[in-house]
Amino acid sequence: MTQSLEVRHHEADAPCRDDLVLDVDSDRLHEECGVFGVYDHPDAAALTALGLHALQHRGQEAAGIVSFDGARFHSERRMGLVGDNFSRLDVIERLPGPSAIGHTRYSTTGGNILRNVQPLFAELETGGFAACHNGNLTNGLTLRRRLIADGAIYQATSDTEVILHLVARSRRNRFVDRFIDALGQIEGGYAFVGMTNKKLIGARDPLGIRPLVIGELDGKFILTSETVALDIIGARFVREVENGEVVVIDERGLESIKPFPARRKRPCIFEYVYFARPDSIVDGKNVYGMRKRIGAILAEESNVPADVIVPVPDSGVPAAIGYAQASGLPYELGIIRNHYVGRTFIQPTQSVRDQGVRMKHSANRAVIEGQRLVLVDDSIVRGTTSRKIVRMMRDAGAKEVHFRIASPPIKYPDYYGIDMPDQEKLLAAHMSIDEMRDYLGVDSLAFISIDGLYRALGEPSRNAAQPQFTDHYFTGDYPTTITDLVGEGAKQLSLLAEAS
């Protein structure tokens, strides 16, 4: 029996002059997505909207929710922030039913267009199936080409649609077996949440690169990317979905299936450095505490005579606090962030666009003038924003600027769901520390060591033979085969380019 899908989606007008758009976060790393799902709760859609709001940091381009009311699936997919689209009662009322899944998106594969907004839905032989995921399939392009050659018709360019096709084409009898059959054909880092007319399903990649946790509210199970999405709705954290585990939630409860050979877990280390919200618990560790510890070890490794510790807000704040506590130097807000500046805005001229960073960050001259600063940030990507912030500190009268980074140098691109530039655009990939120091215009520059980062997370050091985390962006040690990788330079893959 199939169920119809009631779909409403809206796309806001976009600027028509690309040359007038400045992305104020273009020099930051972005996680692809956050996912949320709840089974058999009377407030399923409202809970999903709240959960996505707590996961907004994982993606700000678009959001979507699909619900099931026992007879029909209902879908609302919107461009923009969760709060701008899912805070109105009339929207939630158009998502009836006791089960729902949701997704907040920052695209790394596929374009920033409405048809790629998840959850995606398909009518299969077994009934309706809605799915969304956080991560990236490293053989998604290869599978897409093969499926199209075999007659598949694609509506979107997101690699999530690959899973829908693989499930649809599986010859297994039970839906769960079809889903597992599809998972067995994909590579990469992923956390899936899917929904049928009878089940809520979650799956985490065999290495546990991307996060997924289980919660419980009023006796009903929840799946989501981070514990903060449980906190916002008053749910209880149950446990993490294990690496390589498939969980099936239905009227009988929760079933755990481990269909693949056991492998050591290697979660993404950047969840601790940057992506996860500071108040989340990841693998039993409080992220805020870990970031402070990173800052403390950074101070031990590269302390320098200075007067004040200044964070680059907001992501550099916990590490700067840890650095200040370890060094005994005062911590001050020398940079004030304007939280009311959107990710993109219109700038009419090049001279004004060059000042864009000042719309988001401004110098607190009373703290900076005449002082020797230790500026603390989480990472350096292209270095363009960092350079402008350093110049801002100089203009505000800083006597010295010493830059300290709470992660090792990023030298290699990512293919598991982080929006990371091509390797030639990564500053550390083609400059030495001294060259980066001169480019940024600082008096000194230091990064935490890879072993120091591991010590901050409770490991004695990085085990080169069996690394405890996924850390290829620093080391070049990719944990899986990258089937789609073609050509020199390890360029970030784009299914949109392939489809256009």
Side-chain angles (χ1 to χ4, degrees):
M1 176 181 178
T2 60
Q3 298 79 29
S4 61
L5 173 69
E6 187 173 282
V7 181
R8 295 182 181 88
H9 43 225
H10 306 268
E11 187 164 11
D13 292 337
C16 60
R17 289 279 307 281
D18 289 342
D19 61 320
L20 298 186
V21 177
L22 172 67
D23 185 347
V24 297
D25 285 333
S26 62
D27 195 28
R28 310 299 298 179
L29 297 176
H30 300 279
E31 238 279 355
E32 183 183 13
C33 308
V35 296
F36 188 96
V38 57
Y39 179 80
D40 194 28
H41 195 286
D43 298 319
L47 293 174
T48 301
L50 286 170
L52 294 181
H53 182 75
L55 299 173
Q56 187 73 87
H57 59 288
R58 300 187 77 90
Q60 298 88 46
E61 288 184 351
I65 297 175
V66 173
S67 69
F68 181 68
D69 65 5
R72 303 178 69 186
F73 288 86
H74 306 265
S75 176
E76 293 277 343
R77 299 187 295 155
R78 309 289 185 91
M79 304 301 298
L81 300 176
V82 175
D84 292 342
N85 290 300
F86 290 97
S87 59
R88 300 201 323 267
L89 181 61
D90 64 311
V91 177
I92 299 302
E93 287 178 340
R94 292 200 295 268
L95 292 164
S99 295
I101 64 172
H103 184 270
T104 185
R105 170 180 173 80
Y106 188 97
S107 61
T108 60
T109 60
N112 181 20
I113 53 180
L114 189 60
R115 62 182 177 175
N116 286 328
V117 178
Q118 301 178 46
L120 301 182
F121 177 86
E123 289 281 4
L124 308 181
E125 181 184 5
T126 53
F129 177 43
C132 55
H133 97 283
N134 165 35
N136 200 51
L137 306 186
T138 57
N139 66 336
L141 183 56
T142 301
L143 289 171
R144 179 188 178 94
R145 287 169 173 161
R146 189 189 79 194
L147 289 164
I148 290 176
D150 199 31
I153 299 173
Y154 277 74
Q155 298 296 319
T157 57
S158 167
D159 55 358
T160 304
E161 194 170 11
V162 170
I163 284 288
L164 299 182
H165 281 283
L166 293 176
V167 172
R169 288 167 178 258
S170 174
R171 299 275 60 90
R172 305 289 177 86
N173 293 323
R174 297 194 313 151
F175 176 84
V176 172
D177 293 332
R178 291 184 173 205
F179 182 65
I180 291 171
D181 186 26
L183 293 180
Q185 300 176 63
I186 65 175
E187 303 167 355
Y190 56 81
F192 274 100
V193 172
M195 180 177 64
T196 71
N197 60 334
K198 296 180 179 179
K199 304 177 187 297
L200 180 69
I201 298 175
R204 195 174 179 192
D205 65 82
L207 293 176
I209 297 173
R210 300 268 68 88
L212 189 64
V213 301
I214 303 169
E216 179 268 328
L217 178 67
D218 302 327
K220 311 301 181 181
F221 284 112
I222 294 164
L223 297 172
T224 189
S225 295
E226 291 186 40
T227 60
V228 289
L230 303 176
D231 297 337
I232 197 173
I233 61 173
R236 177 179 67 89
F237 170 71
V238 176
R239 66 174 177 87
E240 290 192 340
V241 175
E242 296 181 18
N243 54 305
E245 182 182 17
V246 176
V247 293
V248 181
I249 299 165
D250 58 21
E251 61 184 5
R252 297 169 296 179
L254 186 147
E255 178 186 9
S256 170
I257 304 171
K258 296 180 180 178
F260 308 116
R263 300 180 65 181
R264 287 185 310 104
K265 182 167 64 173
R266 285 186 63 179
C268 174
I269 205 168
F270 249 119
E271 293 288 343
Y272 295 100
V273 173
Y274 180 69
F275 293 131
R277 235 175 65 170
D279 48 339
S280 275
I281 305 296
V282 177
D283 199 20
K285 301 179 178 70
N286 172 256
V287 172
Y288 176 74
M290 292 300 99
R291 289 177 186 167
K292 285 178 60 180
R293 178 66 178 151
I294 291 170
I297 290 181
L298 180 60
E300 294 171 6
E301 291 185 341
S302 59
N303 202 7
V304 64
D307 302 311
V308 63
I309 310 302
V310 173
V312 177
D314 289 324
S315 56
V317 168
I321 293 173
Y323 192 107
Q325 292 175 347
S327 65
L329 294 172
Y331 167 92
E332 297 286 355
L333 295 180
I335 302 172
I336 306 302
R337 180 180 177 184
N338 182 351
H339 290 269
Y340 302 98
V341 176
R343 290 191 60 250
T344 58
F345 50 89
I346 302 300
Q347 294 298 321
T349 67
Q350 182 62 45
S351 61
V352 176
R353 289 200 294 275
D354 289 342
Q355 301 301 319
V357 69
R358 297 177 186 270
M359 294 187 66
K360 191 165 187 177
H361 299 101
S362 59
N364 186 357
R365 181 177 286 272
V367 168
I368 293 167
E369 191 168 19
Q371 301 296 302
R372 298 172 298 172
L373 310 181
V374 174
L375 201 59
V376 180
D377 204 356
D378 64 278
S379 59
I380 294 178
V381 186
R382 295 177 177 88
T384 52
T385 299
S386 298
R387 191 180 187 186
K388 292 176 181 178
I389 287 175
V390 170
R391 187 185 308 152
M392 186 190 304
M393 298 297 95
R394 299 287 194 192
D395 292 345
K399 185 178 180 181
E400 296 176 8
V401 180
H402 302 275
F403 214 176
R404 295 296 179 266
I405 309 301
S407 63
I410 300 173
K411 297 181 178 181
Y412 304 93
D414 179 80
Y415 302 101
Y416 303 103
I418 302 173
D419 179 45
M420 191 173 285
D422 299 339
Q423 189 170 20
E424 60 265 25
K425 296 179 182 177
L426 297 171
L427 196 68
H430 58 87
M431 284 190 184
S432 67
I433 300 295
D434 288 345
E435 288 170 334
M436 284 190 283
R437 178 200 63 206
D438 294 342
Y439 171 80
L440 296 171
V442 294
D443 294 280
S444 71
L445 172 66
F447 298 77
I448 193 171
S449 67
I450 188 71
D451 282 340
L453 180 57
Y454 271 73
R455 287 199 305 275
L457 301 181
E459 303 289 344
S461 63
R462 182 181 189 271
N463 184 336
Q466 293 185 327
Q468 303 94 317
F469 294 96
T470 289
D471 60 10
H472 52 275
Y473 14 75
F474 311 131
T475 65
D477 179 12
Y478 290 90
T480 73
T481 302
I482 316 254
T483 300
D484 288 342
L485 185 59
V486 293
E488 297 181 358
K491 294 182 181 296
Q492 184 77 28
L493 305 174
S494 172
L495 289 176
L496 180 61
E498 175 68 14
S500 60

